[in-house]
Amino acid sequence: MSLPKVAIVGRPNVGKSTLFNRLAGRMISIVDAQAGVTRDRLSTICQADNQYFEVVDTGGYGIKDLDDLGGEVERQITYALEQASLILFVVDVQTGITPLDRQLAHRLRCVEKPLLMLANKVDDEKHRPGASEFLALGFDKIICVSAGHGYGMSDLLEAIGRQLPDEQTAPAEPVMKIAIVGPRNAGKSTFINTLAGEDRVIVSEIPGTTRDAIDVRFELGGQPFLAIDTAGVRKKSRIKDSIEFYSLSRAERSVRRADVILLMIDAAEPVGQITKKLGGYIVENYKPCVIVVNKYDLAAGKASLEDYGDYLGKQLSGLRFAPIAMTSGRDGTNVRETIKLAGNLFEQASTRVPTGQLNAVIERIRTEKPPSSSKAKGIPRFYYASQIDICPPTIVLFVNDRQAYTEGYQRYLINRFRELLPFKEVPIRLLIRERTRST
């Protein structure tokens, strides 16, 4: 959690996010020709030989009229500079020096931190001589790179390594990854900031403030966790541009890579189609889920907790088994308790049931309510069952007649599994396999 931080700064569209993705070795930050796409601080852990560091992407310096968020973006840049052990000042060799480059250079000269200037977009040898122009900004050495093509990355990593402390221990893997998803303005970013104990992401009443999926590491009880703040999802028919499309894509990818999902709901608003679709996507991917009802304290004319729980059960029928947490991200009410609840779900999803116990449970269920006989194969027979995987708990059931185990009967089996096995609040994957006694 205390790795040295390397902050990437520069004016808009110099290739900061492309560089960030290149150092990370994967697509994390949205890259688009439109200025102001990156708003929050994005971070990931990188390695240079035996040195580990956290690289931080920031929004474009000096951008104006960014949905009235320019001041917030500037504040995030300031936080990044304050916490950085090393600054990467990125300029565009193909464009040359601009007034914003000069303004930022002036500011960085006042920051008493090690700094490397990167002349980016050296996509061809003909661009290399143009890098010398940037010596006029007052920094001693320029490293020529092409974040888009990978040119100069080995030189850059060596230079970073020389500026950082000696060999670093690899950071501990998070014990759990939690994705926070929901419609716009449900309170996801406020929730994340409460966990992080700082203004890690921008919070605004303006819909669509968060664009990327933002990984935020935090500790609870001395253990490392990873929270993933995602962009607010809206109807596909209302997605206006490629940035919103990528935001939606990253939100869905965050669901897939997380261990537990927090589905955030604004108690002051009715459950809409977006929330229902997200709930369906969570069910489709067999992810443990906590339904987090945020701003319940602000909801006018709110129903009793019991009535509201019944309402959610009807609106999100596929998640009836999911626990509900009432929170207020603004004052931190039940935020850490919700993470502990998520940990309990992760433990359930990671549980293995002994084969003997599982088969005894299935025999009990079959005795209480056997499946209906089919005309083709007569009396349905159950041979044995086995749990073949965890996260989600996956149970395979071997029978003589698969058709006898209808979708309705499979739902009945899964509901009984929740009652009789330690999977009360997590999704269960059930597989029916047909075989003969002799095979």
Side-chain angles (χ1 to χ4, degrees), residues 179-192 229 261-267 275 278 282 289-295 325 327 329 335 338:
I180 303 171
V181 302
R184 293 172 157 208
N185 279 25
K188 301 182 294 299
S189 295
T190 301
F191 190 96
I192 285 281
D229 186 20
I261 313 301
L262 304 186
L263 177 57
M264 189 78 71
I265 293 174
D266 183 344
T275 302
L278 281 170
I282 293 167
C289 176
V290 180
I291 300 173
V292 181
V293 181
N294 194 31
K295 309 178 190 178
T327 70
V335 169
T338 299

Side-chain angles (χ1 to χ4, degrees), residues 246-318:
Y246 289 129
S247 297
L248 171 61
S249 175
R250 277 161 167 72
E252 292 177 344
R253 186 174 68 182
S254 297
V255 168
R256 296 193 297 271
R257 73 185 179 100
D259 298 311
V260 180
I261 313 301
L262 304 186
L263 177 57
M264 189 78 71
I265 293 174
D266 183 344
E269 300 291 335
V271 174
Q273 288 301 314
I274 291 301
T275 302
K276 293 177 183 178
K277 287 183 179 180
L278 281 170
Y281 193 77
I282 293 167
V283 171
E284 178 185 327
N285 284 273
Y286 294 93
K287 293 294 182 177
C289 176
V290 180
I291 300 173
V292 181
V293 181
N294 194 31
K295 309 178 190 178
Y296 190 73
D297 53 328
L298 302 178
K302 52 184 177 287
S304 67
L305 293 177
E306 183 178 354
D307 289 344
Y308 192 73
D310 291 341
Y311 165 74
L312 291 179
K314 293 176 182 177
Q315 298 298 315
L316 301 169
S317 57

Side-chain angles (χ1 to χ4, degrees), residues 13-53:
N13 284 0
V14 293
K16 298 183 300 299
S17 294
T18 303
L19 176 65
F20 176 80
N21 291 337
R22 177 68 66 176
L23 290 170
R26 59 192 176 97
M27 289 290 293
I28 298 176
S29 183
I30 294 175
V31 176
D32 193 273
Q34 179 179 326
V37 174
T38 301
R39 298 175 174 183
D40 297 286
R41 284 175 288 154
L42 279 70
S43 66
T44 192
I45 294 171
C46 297
Q47 182 180 0
D49 293 328
N50 293 320
Q51 294 168 296
Y52 292 87
F53 59 94

